[in-house]
Amino acid sequence: MCLAIPARVTELLDGDRARIELGGVHKDVSIALVEDVAVGDYLIVHVGFAIGKLDPVEAEETLALFAQMAEIDPANPTSYQ
């Protein structure tokens, strides 16, 4: 099973590479598979490769949902209510 999370491009690098940020973590990834990448774009990244761009509104909504899930206490199923 794979999990791809939206990551925001913070810098374009040489050689079809970009620096992304997700939750304060920065990583360099390949953007060779995605056209017209710009700083500020949200990308879906899998094992170091950007595999697609994501609408900024959808990306923010997805990240907000992940943040909500992180707050759920598995020992207390009612913690999400």
Side-chain angles (χ1 to χ4, degrees), residues 3-7 22 42-44 54-70:
L3 177 63
I5 299 174
L22 177 61
Y42 281 92
L43 303 174
I44 297 296
L54 191 59
D55 174 78
V57 173
E58 186 177 349
E60 292 292 340
E61 290 172 355
T62 301
L63 292 171
L65 287 172
F66 278 119
Q68 286 177 350
M69 289 189 307

Side-chain angles (χ1 to χ4, degrees), residues 1 4 6 12 14 23 29-30 34-36 40 43 47 55-56 58 64 69-70 74:
M1 181 172 106
L12 296 176
D14 292 335
V29 299
S30 171
V34 181
E35 293 182 3
D36 302 320
L43 303 174
V47 293
D55 174 78
E58 186 177 349
M69 289 189 307

